[in-house]
Each structure stands twice: as C-alpha cells, then as structure tokens.
Amino acid sequence: MRTSIATVSLSGSLTEKLTAAARAGFDGVEIFENDLLASPLTPEEVRARCADLGLTIDLYQPMRDIEAVPADEFARNVRRARHKFELMRRLGADTVLVCSSVSPLAVDDDALAAEQLSRLADLAQESGIRIAYEALAWGRHVSTYDHAWHIVETAGHPALGTCLDSFHILSRGSDPKGVEDIPGEKIFFLQLADAPLLAMDVLQWSRHYRCFPGQGGFDVAGLVRHVLRTGYDGPLSLEVFNDVFRQSEAGPTAVDAQRSLRVLQETVGVTTPPAPVVPTGVAFAELVTPDAAPVAALLGALGFVRTARHRSKPVDLWQQGEARVLVNTGPAVRRDGTQLAAIGLESPDPAGAARRAEALLAPVLPRRRAPEDAPLDAVAAPDGTELFFCATDRPGLPDWRADFTDVAHHATPGGIRRIDHLGLTQPWHHFDEAALFHRSVLGLHAQESVDLADPYGLLRSRAVTNPDGSVRIALSVGAAPTDDTVQAQHIALATDVVAAARRFRAAGGRLLPIPANYYDDLAARHEFADGELETYRELGILHDRDAHGEFRHCYTLTLGRVFLELVQRDGGYRGYGAQNAPVRLAAQHTVKGVTGG
C-alpha cells in the first residue's frame, strides 16, 4: 500500500520535512496548514517541490469548527472554505480534512450537521475536492467514528466521506469492528498513530504523547485489519503529535516512521519482507578505547585472558568461559573514553538477518576488511551501536574468530560463564525508536517500560530479549543526557557473584560501594541466612527477588562510559534488578570521576 506522513509529525521547515519524508521512502504527505503558512514557498512552489521529490499531496488539513453552527457562522465558514479550496487547487491537493466541531457555537443536531456538510461538499466538488470528515475524540457533540459516519451517511454526498484516525478511535476505547460497516469507498482517508496507555485528558494525550505504530499500547494493527476488510485502498498515513519528534532531526524520525509502517504492513499481511532471524546468543561485546591498559587491568582482575589478536586490526579478544570482549584501540576519536561500540549477535542465518535489517531500513554499515577476513554483516542501531550478525562454531558458516590469531591458552579462573545482558543508554529522542528497532529488525520481545527515580530526575528502561533469555539488552534513557554517569553503558557477566566479587577484589579490582542504608532496608524486607547480608554489605552486592527466583549483582567502577556488572540468577529470575537501579545510580554519582578511561 502507499504510505504517507503528516508534516506535523516531523521537525523543521516544510522543505526539510518534505525532503526527509521522500528520502525515507514515503509516497505522499499530508500538508498541515501551519507548516504551509510558515513557509516562504508559494503553494505552486510547494507543489513543484513535492513533484520533484516524488511525493503526492494526499491531504490538506485541517478545517475546523465547520458544521452544526448558526446560519451566520456557517456563512463565514463557507467564505473561509472558498479561500481554502482555491489554495488547495494551487497546491494540487484534492482531499481536505474537516474535524468535528469543538466550537461553543455548535449545537447537538445531526441533521443540521449533515445538511451543512453537504452544502460544503457541493462547494468542494465544484473545485474537484473531497471532504474527509473526522470525529475528534474531544469533539463537542461528535466524538466517535460511528457518529461521524452516521452524519456522512445521512448527508449522502459523493464528495463527502469519513476520515478514520486510530488515536481518536482507540483512545476512547471504541470497538473498531464497526468500521467494517462503512463502505471502503466512503473512507476517504486513514490516519494512524499509536500511544502509550495513559490516564489523562485525551486532548493533552493526543497533542503530546502520540507515537508511531508499534511504539505504544494501542492495537493499531487490529484496527487496520478492520479497515482493509472494507475495501479501503487509500494510503496508510501517519499523523503523530509528539514533543520529542518535534525536537528531533527530521531525517531519522522519518526513517523510524517508515519502518513502523513497514512492520505494520507485515503484521496485517499486506507485505512479506524477509522473516526475522532471532539471534541465539551474544558472540562478543566490543569496547573501543584510546588506552587499552585500564581496560586490560579491569578484564584481567575479573579473570579474563587475552586469547587472540585480529590479523589486520588493533583489536584483542579477551575471553572467559563463553564471555568474549573485544578491545579495539583503533584511530577513531573517542571524546568520552572507553565505550561499548559493538555487539556480536549469534545468528543461525547471518545473511538472512542482514536482509531483514536492510528491508526495515536499518543502515547497513560499510566494513573495512582484508580479502581473507570473515564476511560479517553489520547494521547500526538507533544509538549508533554496531550490531554484527555472527556465527561461532556453526557448521557451514564462516566463524568470525577465524580473523584472529591465538596468543594464549584460554582459562577461566574467575568463574564467569557468559554475557548475561548488555545495557545500552539511548539518546533521549531515540528511546521508542530503539524498542521498535530491536523488536522488528532483530525479532526480540520488548518487555514493558519501567520508570525509575534517579537522583537527578527519572530513568526510563525497557528490556528486549529472545525467547530463552540468551540475548538480553536493557535499553534506557536518563533525565540528564549530558551526565556521563547516567549515560554509562554496561556489560553484565553471569557468574557466582560472591566468589567472583572476592576474586576481583583480591586481584586489585574496585567494586562500587553501596550505602549502608540500603542494607538496613534489605534486612527489613527479607530474611537471610546467617552472615549472608553481612557478605553483601562487605562486597557491595545488591539483591532482588521476583515470583521466579532471586538476583544478586554488583558493579565495577565506571571506566570512561562503561562499567561491568557481575550477576547471579537463581530459580528462573527474569528481571534486571530494576528496584536497585536508583541506589546504583546514586552510588555512581557519588564516585563519578574517580576513574578515567
């Protein structure tokens, strides 16, 4: 199906919005009136610009407070409409959105509303224009899609149809199945938006918190299925009012928007892109650093051994058990010191995973490699992290470790078994995009978002995981995006946490100190075996429980933008110690700047 996006969904000037929409692969746009009014371009120039970009102008919007008003007010509305229809002729748009009235002058009279909309449609038809009547969820007298359709059906005018908007329908809890009673040819337009499930005034909810399909809590796909059963063949168009999107760069936002529609079309069976290839494990985590010595000291204290070096690049492989960390000291400038720059994901079909990523607009990264290097495909996540699709000991597929030359025998003195999970801090304007990206491109399951109190604001976190938990990525965004501690990334290592913490300290490593008040509270909430709580207090180990089991974890000090976490899951624990995050964050703020990197 054709895809479209309202210019109000993007930031910048009208020209910038049109360019971003075209580059992201949209077929058309809805021109929001305020964007046109603020543009120095004439309607003819906007029309020509859209044509040059390969965009159609699918809708001009909105016309407000038109129907069910006194005769003198309606006369003024007709005068206004004549001007707008002439403007649309110059613009090359043939459909206009008319929102249900919120005017205090409007009366509760469906017959009058139908009669006045029919007269407006007469005028529109003379100009070759169609009117799409939409029920605003906060409309004064018309606030549901079935009520709006009743008025359109009563008017019975060929130039008058309805516009369905997923937000207005789903935010009110209306049953979308009734959409199937509307003839497809009378649905003149379909606007789509998702939203988080919030208990708040619907107008404020709509104006500030809409998001792209798949990023909120609405069943947008279910609504679209009902619409498609009517025979509707118009575009799928996004109309998203969102404060974050309006402050973000238009280009990446438009790509995120287009990706959401591609996933939606796949979900409802309109398209069949390459199927997701769900990763089966973490092959490696790659740290980039201007100084390998502190990283080597940290890994060595944890029991990692430098086992191999890349044949042609300044990259060392450190390993313990199945946990592998690459340390890259290449020439790229790293203003923030050590960073978690890349993740190797075990894949049963690396080429298929790359095809899926490319079909969903994940940027495929160029890779400098020697002819003998393993052919690894990599894409960029929204936060810039490189994701490599890898095979390790998988028959018939190139093993990425073939690029490395052994320098030492592998040993496991620290008892670390594997990478348990990875923590990636997102730019504040990419959080929702990141969740959709990891779910749609990688086929991971996105858990519910968690909001946590940070000493300097609010931390929002959402985990994505594969079915057996062998891939876990915790995505988070902090309230203070310029703060190095809040923005720290981390690698969590599965181990026997008490033994590993003791060995780490004995080797000269420093663990994050946790305030005594935390352990006083822990003693009040849970019972522990003799000496258990004292051990946790001594080593800075935190504790959590859920319905499935227990979780023990502790942290190294932050190095650059990275810290390591030692974790132990018992009895099927599924979380990440979220309730301990405020304590960890406060402790990291306290010791911030102690280490370099």
Side-chain angles (χ1 to χ4, degrees):
M1 297 183 70
R2 296 180 65 257
T3 60
S4 186
I5 187 169
T7 56
V8 74
S9 306
L10 303 171
S11 67
S13 67
L14 180 56
T15 299
E16 291 169 332
K17 296 180 181 196
L18 296 177
T19 300
R23 288 179 176 172
F26 283 94
D27 303 298
V29 291
E30 304 175 35
I31 300 289
F32 194 65
E33 184 172 61
N34 288 355
D35 287 321
L36 182 65
L37 297 181
S39 175
L41 302 180
T42 66
E44 291 82 3
E45 290 171 331
V46 173
R47 180 178 185 171
R49 178 62 177 161
C50 286
D52 289 343
L53 292 169
L55 295 170
T56 56
I57 300 177
D58 296 328
L59 189 73
Y60 185 71
Q61 64 136 320
M63 290 183 65
R64 302 183 184 275
D65 300 331
I66 293 291
E67 82 287 8
V69 292
D72 57 342
E73 182 68 17
F74 184 67
R76 284 190 285 272
N77 289 344
V78 168
R79 177 183 177 278
R80 173 162 52 102
R82 290 185 187 276
H83 283 272
K84 297 303 178 185
F85 294 158
E86 171 58 21
L87 173 68
M88 291 176 62
R89 183 194 63 78
R90 297 170 59 196
L91 197 59
D94 64 2
T95 305
V96 63
L97 179 70
V98 173
C99 302
S100 62
S101 181
V102 299
S103 170
L105 299 175
V107 296
D108 188 7
D109 186 337
D110 287 359
L112 179 60
E115 186 265 333
Q116 290 184 343
L117 286 172
S118 181
R119 289 168 59 188
L120 188 71
D122 282 335
L123 183 63
Q125 192 172 39
E126 293 173 6
S127 302
I129 290 170
R130 305 186 309 167
I131 293 174
Y133 181 56
E134 173 189 65
L136 295 178
W138 54 90
R140 183 171 175 81
H141 300 296
V142 179
S143 58
T144 63
Y145 78 90
D146 50 344
H147 193 173
W149 164 238
H150 170 70
I151 292 173
V152 169
E153 188 176 30
T154 300
H157 197 290
L160 177 65
T162 189
C163 173
L164 299 176
D165 183 302
S166 64
F167 180 86
H168 294 303
I169 294 172
L170 300 175
S171 66
R172 293 187 59 87
S174 299
D175 184 355
K177 191 176 189 309
V179 165
E180 296 184 29
D181 296 330
I182 306 174
E185 65 272 13
K186 295 301 288 183
I187 301 175
F188 283 2
F189 211 72
L190 175 62
Q191 293 178 319
L192 301 173
D194 205 337
L197 301 180
L198 303 173
M200 66 184 305
D201 172 73
V202 69
L203 177 58
Q204 296 304 311
W205 191 11
S206 172
R207 286 288 177 261
H208 302 285
Y209 296 100
R210 294 195 195 195
C211 53
F212 298 129
Q215 296 179 348
F218 289 162
D219 183 11
V220 179
L223 171 66
V224 172
R225 289 190 185 98
H226 290 304
V227 175
L228 294 180
R229 290 185 189 118
T230 70
Y232 173 77
D233 61 358
L236 301 177
S237 190
L238 297 171
E239 186 197 41
V240 175
F241 298 86
N242 185 292
D243 293 341
V244 173
F245 296 167
R246 280 192 283 256
Q247 299 176 67
S248 306
E249 188 179 348
T253 303
V255 170
D256 184 28
Q258 178 63 224
R259 179 182 298 123
S260 76
L261 285 184
R262 294 193 181 189
V263 175
L264 178 64
Q265 291 181 85
E266 178 187 28
T267 303
V268 301
V270 172
T271 61
T272 54
V277 180
V278 180
T280 58
V282 177
F284 62 81
E286 181 176 350
L287 301 177
V288 294
T289 181
D291 183 1
V295 180
L298 176 62
L299 293 174
L302 286 168
F304 281 82
V305 174
R306 190 174 75 95
T307 60
R309 184 168 179 83
H310 197 281
R311 286 194 303 260
S312 59
K313 300 174 184 177
V315 179
D316 290 325
L317 170 59
W318 290 73
Q319 185 164 347
Q320 184 175 182
E322 294 301 313
R324 305 179 191 90
V325 178
L326 302 184
V327 179
N328 185 338
T329 54
V333 176
R334 301 174 186 91
R335 291 174 297 175
D336 299 323
T338 303
Q339 299 181 39
L340 175 56
I343 301 170
L345 296 172
E346 295 283 0
S347 176
D349 180 8
R355 287 193 296 271
R356 169 74 176 184
E358 192 167 11
L360 294 183
L361 305 178
V364 177
L365 298 173
R367 183 166 177 259
R368 179 180 62 84
R369 69 182 188 91
E372 65 275 12
D373 287 351
L376 287 181
D377 291 305
V379 298
D383 65 350
T385 301
E386 297 181 4
L387 303 176
F388 287 88
F389 302 118
C390 301
T392 307
D393 285 332
R394 195 175 290 272
L397 294 174
D399 192 318
W400 62 275
R401 295 175 303 176
D403 293 346
F404 289 79
T405 302
D406 291 344
V407 297
H409 293 295
H410 177 54
T412 58
I416 287 170
R417 297 185 292 275
R418 61 182 180 84
I419 292 176
D420 179 88
H421 67 271
L422 297 147
L424 300 178
T425 304
Q426 306 300 302
W428 65 274
H429 53 291
H430 285 312
F431 184 77
D432 289 332
E433 177 188 0
L436 177 62
F437 175 94
H438 287 83
R439 179 175 64 81
S440 60
V441 174
L442 302 181
L444 300 177
H445 170 70
Q447 299 175 356
E448 293 297 319
S449 293
V450 178
D451 291 337
L452 304 165
D454 175 344
Y456 292 88
L458 191 69
L459 179 76
R460 189 179 175 201
S461 180
R462 190 172 193 182
V464 292
T465 180
N466 68 350
D468 67 1
S470 58
V471 176
R472 295 186 180 100
I473 301 174
L475 309 169
S476 63
V477 61
T482 59
D483 186 282
D484 290 338
T485 300
V486 172
Q487 292 295 294
Q489 311 153 314
H490 75 274
I491 303 170
L493 303 166
T495 187
D496 177 332
V497 71
V498 172
R502 290 196 186 283
R503 279 191 290 263
F504 178 64
R505 290 209 318 183
R510 298 180 60 192
L511 292 168
L512 183 70
I514 302 299
N517 292 334
Y518 169 80
Y519 298 100
D520 292 341
D521 178 69
L522 204 58
R525 289 189 290 114
H526 301 297
E527 291 185 5
F528 295 94
D530 290 345
E532 183 178 359
L533 192 59
E534 288 70 24
T535 297
Y536 295 165
R537 190 190 303 266
E538 172 199 353
L539 297 173
I541 293 173
L542 298 99
H543 177 276
D544 189 28
R545 297 180 183 179
D546 66 11
H548 307 281
E550 297 184 59
F551 189 61
R552 299 167 178 84
H553 56 138
C554 61
Y555 304 93
T556 71
L557 299 186
T558 302
L559 187 66
R561 286 191 58 207
V562 177
F563 61 90
L564 303 186
E565 179 183 9
L566 301 175
V567 308
Q568 180 177 338
R569 298 174 183 270
D570 293 316
Y573 178 90
R574 298 180 182 178
Y576 300 83
Q579 73 170 11
N580 294 326
V583 176
R584 185 259 298 173
L585 289 163
Q588 287 177 321
H589 278 293
T590 300
V591 300
K592 182 176 65 175
V594 171
T595 57

